[in-house]
Amino acid sequence: MKRVEYRRMFEAEERQWWYAGQRAVALALFEPWARDRRLLLLDAGCGTGFNLVALARFGPTLGIDLSEGAVAFCRGRGV
């Protein structure tokens, strides 16, 4: 993916309806199972990393992505 697309994702994924909605559905399905556990979570293909922030309440998170550009945005986000 082009770096400009990662920039758009980075800027949108916290609030834009598509990202927020997909994350809300995933967390609603995941939370009952994970609620009473301390987990180490891997997000393979983490993109620009906001899901790592959202998942951190369940335990430490790790993200990997094939794109160096995506990983750079993760680092900029502090994950």
Side-chain angles (χ1 to χ4, degrees), residues 9 15 24 41 49 58:
M9 182 187 302
R15 293 184 190 92
L41 299 165
F58 300 112

Side-chain angles (χ1 to χ4, degrees), residues 43-73:
D43 184 354
C46 64
T48 60
F50 190 74
N51 287 334
L52 295 168
V53 174
L55 290 168
R57 66 181 180 212
F58 300 112
T61 59
L62 301 170
I64 60 171
D65 201 289
L66 293 175
S67 169
E68 291 179 24
V71 172
F73 280 106

Side-chain angles (χ1 to χ4, degrees), residues 4-42:
V4 68
E5 295 302 325
Y6 283 117
R7 165 66 58 197
R8 288 180 183 143
M9 182 187 302
F10 180 83
E11 293 171 354
E13 68 182 331
E14 289 184 46
R15 293 184 190 92
Q16 199 262 352
W17 68 270
W18 173 258
Y19 295 109
Q22 291 295 315
R23 187 171 38 259
V25 169
L27 289 174
L29 294 171
F30 185 69
E31 190 165 15
W33 177 83
R35 183 177 303 134
D36 298 324
R37 299 181 171 136
R38 178 92 172 134
L39 305 170
L40 174 61
L41 299 165
L42 172 65

